Amino acid sequence: TSGIDYILKPFSKNTVQKAILKFKTITQKTDSIQPNYKELFDTISKKIQSTKLSNIIVYQGDKIIPLAGDTIALFYIDNGIVKAINFDNKKFTISYNLEELEQKYSPHFFRPNRQFLVNRSAIKEAAQYFNRKHLVHLTIPFSEQILVGKEKINAFLDWLANY
């Protein structure tokens, strides 16, 4: 709670009237504030929409395929080319770089190092590794090691616990 005014001894009728007037002025201002329900609804709607992972367009030959964001297990760089693997273990070539994908899919995906961007749903477990690094094990078969560098361990563990 907070005070509105101080009434110190010895007080007079005039100091009490001023304090009451100040109280009435403040309460009238706050009583007239009505919540903007449309703005509140729009904010909640945007928050709900942001939890849904958007699609990404994949080009395969002459085909244009919308790949749902929540079906992607990870993005990775293979010989300078960004690729995606979905939970069915199908691989796709992506025309975005990892920085763009990280912005698009954060916080559902985490970037443990420069080569990988991993979906939270694709992580089975993480284990301690040499030199204070962590090794990420996925729910899908993947032959490369995904290491979380020691400078990102705290952010990774926080993300793993909260998403």
Side-chain angles (χ1 to χ4, degrees):
T1 63
S2 61
I4 295 170
D5 204 350
Y6 291 99
I7 302 176
L8 302 174
K9 290 182 182 178
F11 54 87
S12 66
K13 185 177 179 180
N14 187 29
T15 56
V16 174
Q17 283 177 334
K18 282 183 183 179
I20 292 172
L21 182 63
K22 189 173 182 181
F23 171 77
K24 286 182 179 179
T25 304
I26 290 172
T27 56
Q28 285 173 351
K29 287 180 184 176
T30 57
D31 288 345
S32 66
I33 297 172
Q34 292 293 321
N36 184 340
Y37 292 111
K38 182 182 178 349
E39 185 178 314
L40 185 61
F41 178 76
D42 290 344
T43 302
I44 292 169
S45 295
K46 285 179 187 175
K47 188 71 172 170
I48 290 169
Q49 288 173 356
S50 71
T51 61
K52 182 179 181 277
L53 295 177
S54 60
N55 292 346
I56 190 165
I57 300 297
V58 176
Y59 298 94
Q60 284 189 337
D62 60 344
K63 294 180 185 175
I64 300 171
I65 303 168
L67 185 60
D70 57 358
T71 66
I72 301 168
L74 79 145
F75 296 100
Y76 66 102
I77 297 175
D78 182 27
N79 293 322
I81 298 170
V82 178
K83 296 193 176 182
I85 298 178
N86 68 6
F87 286 100
D88 294 331
N89 214 30
K90 293 179 184 171
K91 295 180 182 178
F92 302 90
T93 300
I94 305 296
S95 59
Y96 295 93
N97 64 41
L98 284 185
E99 289 79 21
E100 294 168 324
L101 294 167
E102 184 177 13
Q103 285 182 342
K104 183 177 179 79
Y105 291 116
S106 179
H108 303 285
F109 282 71
F110 186 83
R111 190 159 182 192
N113 59 49
R114 288 184 277 165
Q115 289 189 285
F116 300 100
L117 186 61
V118 184
N119 187 332
R120 172 63 184 91
S121 300
I123 296 177
K124 179 169 56 174
E125 63 188 13
Q128 292 183 352
Y129 197 69
F130 298 110
N131 204 14
R132 295 191 334 224
K133 295 179 183 177
H134 279 63
L135 178 63
V136 177
H137 299 283
L138 302 177
T139 59
I140 63 166
F142 189 67
S143 60
E144 293 186 48
Q145 286 187 336
I146 301 174
L147 295 174
V148 182
K150 57 186 171 186
E151 65 281 347
K152 288 192 170 189
I153 291 293
N154 289 337
F156 174 72
L157 294 175
D158 182 54
W159 172 79
L160 202 56
N162 294 306
Y163 291 102

